[in-house]
Coordinates of all heavy atoms in Angstrom, one line a residue:
M1 N -195.9 44.4 141.6 CA -195.2 44.8 140.4 C -194.4 43.7 139.8 O -193.8 42.9 140.5 CB -194.4 46.1 140.6 CG -195.2 47.3 141.1 SD -196.3 47.9 139.9 CE -195.1 48.9 138.9
G2 N -194.3 43.7 138.5 CA -193.4 42.7 137.8 C -193.1 43.1 136.4 O -193.5 44.2 135.9
T3 N -192.3 42.3 135.8 CA -191.8 42.6 134.4 C -192.8 42.0 133.4 O -193.1 40.8 133.6 CB -190.4 42.1 134.2 OG1 -189.5 42.6 135.2 CG2 -189.9 42.4 132.8
V4 N -193.1 42.8 132.4 CA -194.0 42.3 131.4 C -193.1 41.4 130.4 O -192.1 41.8 130.0 CB -194.7 43.4 130.6 CG1 -195.5 42.9 129.4 CG2 -195.5 44.2 131.5
M5 N -193.6 40.1 130.2 CA -192.9 39.2 129.5 C -193.6 38.8 128.2 O -194.9 38.8 128.2 CB -192.6 37.9 130.3 CG -192.0 38.1 131.7 SD -190.3 38.5 131.6 CE -189.6 36.9 131.1
I6 N -192.9 38.4 127.2 CA -193.6 37.9 126.0 C -192.8 36.6 125.6 O -191.7 36.4 126.0 CB -193.6 38.8 124.8 CG1 -192.2 39.2 124.4 CG2 -194.4 40.1 125.1 CD1 -192.1 39.8 122.9
R7 N -193.5 35.8 124.8 CA -192.9 34.6 124.2 C -192.3 34.9 122.9 O -193.0 35.4 122.0 CB -193.9 33.5 124.1 CG -193.4 32.2 123.5 CD -192.9 31.2 124.5 NE -193.7 31.0 125.7 CZ -193.3 30.6 126.9 NH1 -192.0 30.3 127.1 NH2 -194.1 30.4 127.9
C8 N -191.0 34.6 122.7 CA -190.3 34.9 121.4 C -190.9 33.9 120.4 O -190.9 32.7 120.6 CB -188.8 34.7 121.6 SG -188.0 34.7 120.0
P9 N -191.4 34.5 119.3 CA -192.1 33.6 118.2 C -191.0 32.7 117.5 O -191.4 31.7 116.9 CB -192.7 34.6 117.3 CG -192.0 35.9 117.5 CD -191.5 35.9 118.9
R10 N -189.8 33.1 117.6 CA -188.8 32.3 116.8 C -188.1 31.3 117.7 O -187.9 30.1 117.3 CB -187.7 33.3 116.3 CG -188.2 34.1 115.2 CD -187.1 34.9 114.6 NE -187.6 36.1 113.9 CZ -186.8 37.0 113.3 NH1 -185.5 36.9 113.4 NH2 -187.3 38.0 112.7
T11 N -187.8 31.6 118.9 CA -187.1 30.7 119.8 C -188.0 30.0 120.8 O -187.6 29.0 121.5 CB -185.9 31.4 120.5 OG1 -186.5 32.3 121.4 CG2 -185.0 32.0 119.5
G12 N -189.2 30.6 121.1 CA -190.1 30.1 122.1 C -189.7 30.4 123.5 O -190.3 30.0 124.5
R13 N -188.7 31.3 123.6 CA -188.2 31.6 125.0 C -189.0 32.8 125.5 O -189.4 33.7 124.8 CB -186.7 32.0 124.9 CG -185.8 30.7 124.7 CD -184.4 31.1 124.4 NE -183.8 31.9 125.5 CZ -182.5 32.3 125.5 NH1 -181.7 31.9 124.5 NH2 -182.0 33.0 126.4
A14 N -189.1 32.9 126.8 CA -189.7 34.0 127.5 C -188.7 35.1 127.6 O -187.6 34.9 128.1 CB -190.2 33.6 128.9
I15 N -189.1 36.3 127.1 CA -188.1 37.4 127.1 C -188.8 38.6 127.8 O -190.0 38.9 127.6 CB -187.6 37.8 125.7 CG1 -188.8 38.1 124.8 CG2 -186.8 36.7 125.1 CD1 -188.4 38.8 123.5
P16 N -188.0 39.3 128.6 CA -188.6 40.5 129.2 C -188.7 41.7 128.3 O -187.8 41.9 127.4 CB -187.5 40.8 130.4 CG -186.3 40.2 129.8 CD -186.6 39.1 129.0
T17 N -189.8 42.4 128.4 CA -190.0 43.6 127.5 C -189.3 44.9 128.0 O -189.2 45.8 127.3 CB -191.5 43.9 127.3 OG1 -192.0 44.1 128.6 CG2 -192.2 42.7 126.7
G18 N -189.0 44.8 129.3 CA -188.5 46.0 130.0 C -189.5 46.9 130.6 O -189.3 47.9 131.2
I19 N -190.8 46.5 130.3 CA -191.9 47.2 130.9 C -192.3 46.6 132.3 O -192.4 45.4 132.4 CB -193.2 47.1 130.0 CG1 -192.9 47.6 128.6 CG2 -194.4 47.8 130.6 CD1 -193.9 47.2 127.6
V20 N -192.4 47.5 133.2 CA -192.8 47.0 134.6 C -194.2 47.5 134.9 O -194.6 48.6 134.6 CB -191.8 47.6 135.6 CG1 -192.3 47.2 137.0 CG2 -190.4 47.1 135.4
S21 N -195.0 46.5 135.3 CA -196.4 46.8 135.5 C -197.0 45.9 136.6 O -196.4 44.9 136.9 CB -197.2 46.6 134.2 OG -198.6 46.9 134.4
D22 N -198.1 46.4 137.2 CA -198.8 45.6 138.1 C -199.7 44.6 137.3 O -200.2 45.0 136.3 CB -199.7 46.5 139.0 CG -200.5 45.7 140.0 OD1 -199.9 45.3 141.0 OD2 -201.7 45.5 139.8
R23 N -199.9 43.4 137.8 CA -200.6 42.4 137.0 C -202.1 42.8 136.8 O -202.6 42.6 135.7 CB -200.6 41.0 137.8 CG -201.2 39.9 137.0 CD -201.0 38.6 137.7 NE -199.6 38.2 137.8 CZ -199.2 37.2 138.6 NH1 -200.0 36.5 139.3 NH2 -197.9 36.8 138.5
I24 N -202.7 43.3 137.8 CA -204.1 43.7 137.6 C -204.2 45.0 136.7 O -205.1 45.1 135.8 CB -204.8 44.0 139.0 CG1 -204.8 42.7 139.8 CG2 -206.2 44.6 138.8 CD1 -204.8 42.9 141.3
E25 N -203.3 45.9 136.9 CA -203.3 47.1 136.1 C -203.0 46.7 134.6 O -203.6 47.3 133.7 CB -202.1 48.0 136.6 CG -202.1 49.4 136.0 CD -203.3 50.3 136.5 OE1 -203.8 50.0 137.6 OE2 -203.7 51.2 135.8
F26 N -202.2 45.8 134.4 CA -201.8 45.4 133.1 C -203.0 44.8 132.3 O -203.2 45.0 131.1 CB -200.7 44.3 133.1 CG -200.2 43.9 131.7 CD1 -199.5 44.8 131.0 CD2 -200.4 42.6 131.3 CE1 -199.0 44.4 129.7 CE2 -200.0 42.3 130.0 CZ -199.3 43.1 129.2
R27 N -203.8 44.0 133.0 CA -205.0 43.4 132.4 C -206.1 44.4 132.0 O -206.9 44.2 131.2 CB -205.6 42.4 133.4 CG -204.8 41.1 133.4 CD -205.5 40.0 134.2 NE -204.7 38.8 134.2 CZ -205.0 37.8 133.3 NH1 -206.1 37.8 132.5 NH2 -204.3 36.7 133.3
R28 N -206.0 45.6 132.7 CA -207.0 46.7 132.4 C -206.6 47.3 131.0 O -207.5 47.8 130.3 CB -206.9 47.7 133.5 CG -207.7 47.3 134.7 CD -208.0 48.5 135.6 NE -208.4 48.1 136.9 CZ -207.8 48.4 138.0 NH1 -206.8 49.3 138.0 NH2 -208.2 48.0 139.2
K29 N -205.4 47.3 130.7 CA -204.9 47.8 129.4 C -205.3 46.8 128.4 O -204.4 46.0 127.9 CB -203.4 48.1 129.4 CG -203.0 49.2 130.4 CD -201.5 49.3 130.5 CE -201.1 50.2 131.6 NZ -199.7 50.0 131.9
A30 N -206.5 46.7 128.0 CA -207.0 45.6 127.2 C -206.3 45.4 125.9 O -205.8 44.3 125.5 CB -208.5 45.8 126.9
V31 N -206.1 46.5 125.2 CA -205.4 46.4 123.9 C -204.3 47.4 123.8 O -204.5 48.6 123.9 CB -206.4 46.7 122.7 CG1 -205.7 46.5 121.4 CG2 -207.6 45.7 122.8
F32 N -203.1 46.9 123.6 CA -202.0 47.8 123.2 C -201.0 46.9 122.4 O -200.9 45.7 122.7 CB -201.4 48.6 124.3 CG -200.3 47.8 125.1 CD1 -199.0 47.9 124.7 CD2 -200.6 47.1 126.3 CE1 -198.0 47.2 125.4 CE2 -199.7 46.5 127.0 CZ -198.3 46.5 126.6
I33 N -200.2 47.5 121.6 CA -199.2 46.8 120.9 C -197.8 47.4 121.3 O -197.7 48.6 121.3 CB -199.3 47.0 119.3 CG1 -200.7 46.4 118.9 CG2 -198.2 46.3 118.6 CD1 -201.0 46.7 117.4
G34 N -197.0 46.5 121.7 CA -195.7 46.9 122.2 C -194.6 46.4 121.2 O -194.9 45.6 120.3
R35 N -193.4 47.0 121.4 CA -192.3 46.6 120.6 C -191.1 46.4 121.5 O -190.9 47.2 122.4 CB -192.0 47.8 119.7 CG -191.7 47.3 118.3 CD -191.5 48.6 117.4 NE -192.1 48.4 116.1 CZ -191.4 47.7 115.1 NH1 -190.3 47.2 115.4 NH2 -192.0 47.6 114.0
T36 N -190.4 45.3 121.4 CA -189.3 45.1 122.3 C -188.2 44.4 121.5 O -188.4 43.7 120.6 CB -189.7 44.3 123.5 OG1 -188.6 44.3 124.5 CG2 -190.0 42.8 123.2
Y37 N -187.0 44.7 122.0 CA -185.8 44.1 121.4 C -185.6 42.7 122.1 O -185.6 42.6 123.3 CB -184.5 44.9 121.6 CG -183.3 44.3 121.1 CD1 -183.0 44.2 119.7 CD2 -182.4 43.7 122.0 CE1 -181.9 43.6 119.3 CE2 -181.2 43.1 121.5 CZ -181.0 43.0 120.2 OH -179.9 42.4 119.7
C38 N -185.5 41.7 121.3 CA -185.3 40.3 121.8 C -183.9 39.9 121.7 O -183.3 39.9 120.6 CB -186.2 39.4 120.9 SG -185.9 37.7 121.3
A39 N -183.3 39.6 122.9 CA -181.9 39.2 123.0 C -181.7 37.8 122.4 O -180.6 37.4 122.0 CB -181.4 39.3 124.4
A40 N -182.8 37.0 122.4 CA -182.7 35.6 122.0 C -182.4 35.5 120.5 O -181.6 34.6 120.1 CB -184.0 34.8 122.4
C41 N -183.1 36.3 119.7 CA -182.8 36.2 118.3 C -182.4 37.5 117.7 O -182.3 37.7 116.4 CB -184.0 35.6 117.5 SG -185.5 36.6 117.7
R42 N -182.0 38.5 118.5 CA -181.5 39.8 118.1 C -182.3 40.5 117.1 O -181.8 40.8 116.0 CB -180.0 39.6 117.6 CG -179.1 39.1 118.7 CD -177.7 38.8 118.2 NE -176.9 38.2 119.3 CZ -175.7 37.8 119.1 NH1 -175.1 37.8 117.9 NH2 -175.0 37.3 120.0
A43 N -183.6 40.5 117.3 CA -184.5 41.2 116.5 C -185.6 41.9 117.3 O -185.7 41.7 118.5 CB -185.2 40.2 115.5
E44 N -186.3 42.8 116.7 CA -187.4 43.5 117.4 C -188.7 42.7 117.1 O -189.0 42.2 116.0 CB -187.6 44.9 116.9 CG -186.6 45.9 117.5 CD -187.1 47.3 117.6 OE1 -187.9 47.7 116.7 OE2 -186.8 48.0 118.5
H45 N -189.5 42.5 118.2 CA -190.8 41.8 118.1 C -191.9 42.8 118.4 O -191.8 43.5 119.4 CB -190.9 40.6 119.0 CG -189.9 39.5 118.7 ND1 -189.7 39.1 117.4 CD2 -189.1 38.8 119.5 CE1 -188.7 38.1 117.4 NE2 -188.4 37.9 118.7
E46 N -193.0 42.7 117.7 CA -194.2 43.4 118.1 C -195.0 42.4 118.8 O -195.1 41.3 118.5 CB -195.0 43.9 116.9 CG -194.4 45.2 116.3 CD -195.2 45.8 115.2 OE1 -196.2 45.1 114.7 OE2 -195.0 46.9 114.8
F47 N -195.7 42.9 119.9 CA -196.6 42.0 120.6 C -197.8 42.7 121.1 O -197.9 43.9 121.2 CB -195.8 41.5 121.8 CG -195.4 42.5 122.8 CD1 -196.3 42.8 123.9 CD2 -194.2 43.2 122.7 CE1 -195.9 43.8 124.8 CE2 -193.9 44.2 123.6 CZ -194.7 44.5 124.7
F48 N -198.9 41.9 121.3 CA -200.1 42.4 121.8 C -200.2 42.2 123.3 O -199.6 41.2 123.8 CB -201.3 41.7 121.1 CG -201.4 42.0 119.7 CD1 -200.9 41.1 118.7 CD2 -202.0 43.2 119.2 CE1 -201.0 41.4 117.4 CE2 -202.1 43.4 117.8 CZ -201.6 42.5 116.9
A49 N -200.9 43.0 124.0 CA -201.0 42.9 125.4 C -201.5 41.5 125.8 O -201.1 40.9 126.8 CB -201.9 43.9 126.0
R50 N -202.4 40.9 125.0 CA -203.0 39.6 125.4 C -202.0 38.5 125.2 O -202.2 37.4 125.7 CB -204.3 39.4 124.6 CG -204.1 39.4 123.1 CD -205.4 39.2 122.4 NE -205.4 39.6 121.0 CZ -205.0 38.9 120.0 NH1 -204.5 37.7 120.2 NH2 -205.0 39.4 118.8
E51 N -200.9 38.7 124.5 CA -199.9 37.7 124.4 C -198.9 37.8 125.5 O -198.0 36.9 125.6 CB -199.2 37.9 123.0 CG -200.1 37.7 121.8 CD -199.4 38.1 120.5 OE1 -198.4 38.8 120.5 OE2 -199.9 37.7 119.5
A52 N -198.9 38.9 126.2 CA -197.9 39.1 127.2 C -198.4 38.8 128.6 O -199.6 38.6 128.8 CB -197.5 40.6 127.2
W53 N -197.5 38.6 129.5 CA -197.9 38.4 130.9 C -196.9 39.1 131.8 O -195.8 39.5 131.4 CB -198.0 36.9 131.2 CG -196.7 36.2 131.3 CD1 -195.9 36.0 132.4 CD2 -195.9 35.7 130.2 NE1 -194.7 35.3 132.0 CE2 -194.7 35.1 130.6 CE3 -196.2 35.6 128.8 CZ2 -193.8 34.5 129.8 CZ3 -195.3 35.0 127.9 CH2 -194.1 34.4 128.5
V54 N -197.4 39.2 133.1 CA -196.5 39.9 134.1 C -195.9 38.9 135.0 O -196.5 38.0 135.6 CB -197.3 40.9 134.9 CG1 -196.4 41.6 136.0 CG2 -197.9 42.0 134.1
D55 N -194.6 38.9 135.0 CA -193.8 37.9 135.8 C -193.4 38.7 137.1 O -192.5 39.5 137.2 CB -192.5 37.5 135.1 CG -191.8 36.4 135.8 OD1 -192.5 35.7 136.6 OD2 -190.7 36.1 135.5
E56 N -194.2 38.3 138.2 CA -194.0 39.0 139.4 C -193.0 38.3 140.3 O -193.4 37.6 141.3 CB -195.4 39.2 140.1 CG -196.2 40.2 139.4 CD -197.5 40.5 140.2 OE1 -198.1 39.5 140.7 OE2 -198.0 41.6 140.2
L57 N -191.7 38.5 140.0 CA -190.7 37.8 140.8 C -190.6 38.4 142.2 O -190.3 37.6 143.1 CB -189.3 38.0 140.1 CG -189.1 37.2 138.8 CD1 -187.8 37.7 138.1 CD2 -189.0 35.7 139.1
D58 N -190.8 39.7 142.3 CA -190.7 40.3 143.6 C -191.6 39.8 144.7 O -191.2 39.5 145.8 CB -190.9 41.8 143.5 CG -189.8 42.5 142.7 OD1 -188.8 41.9 142.5 OD2 -190.0 43.6 142.2
S59 N -192.9 39.5 144.3 CA -193.9 39.0 145.2 C -193.5 37.6 145.7 O -193.7 37.2 146.8 CB -195.3 39.0 144.6 OG -195.3 38.3 143.5
R60 N -192.9 36.8 144.8 CA -192.5 35.5 145.1 C -191.4 35.4 146.1 O -191.4 34.8 147.1 CB -192.1 34.7 143.8 CG -192.9 33.5 143.5 CD -192.5 32.8 142.3 NE -193.0 33.5 141.1 CZ -192.4 33.4 139.9 NH1 -191.3 32.6 139.7 NH2 -192.9 34.0 138.8
T61 N -190.3 36.2 145.9 CA -189.2 36.2 146.7 C -189.5 36.9 148.1 O -189.0 36.5 149.1 CB -188.0 37.0 146.1 OG1 -188.4 38.2 145.6 CG2 -187.4 36.2 144.9
A62 N -190.4 37.9 148.1 CA -190.8 38.6 149.3 C -191.5 37.6 150.2 O -191.2 37.6 151.4 CB -191.7 39.8 148.9
S63 N -192.4 36.8 149.7 CA -193.1 35.9 150.6 C -192.2 34.8 151.2 O -192.4 34.3 152.3 CB -194.3 35.2 149.8 OG -193.8 34.5 148.7
E64 N -191.2 34.4 150.4 CA -190.2 33.4 150.9 C -189.3 34.0 152.0 O -189.0 33.3 152.9 CB -189.4 32.9 149.7 CG -190.0 31.8 148.9 CD -189.3 31.5 147.6 OE1 -188.0 31.7 147.6 OE2 -189.9 31.2 146.6
A65 N -189.0 35.3 151.8 CA -188.1 35.9 152.8 C -188.8 36.1 154.1 O -188.2 36.0 155.2 CB -187.6 37.3 152.2
A66 N -190.1 36.4 154.1 CA -190.9 36.6 155.3 C -191.3 35.3 155.9 O -190.7 34.8 156.8 CB -192.2 37.3 154.9
Ligands
ZN1 ZN1 -187.1 36.7 119.4

């Protein structure tokens, strides 16, 4: 599981959408449009699933801890 991230079109920064999903599960959701508040430029952005990715921080830290 990880946080769904998008690239802010104004600042180019990666911002979390607040959606948590599994990477494989997320790819199955071929088309959806989301809306998230962007802290980088203090505006709402619409995004398509294909523009987003899942940042699986948990799996990375878990493997390092083990
Ligand atoms: Zn933004």
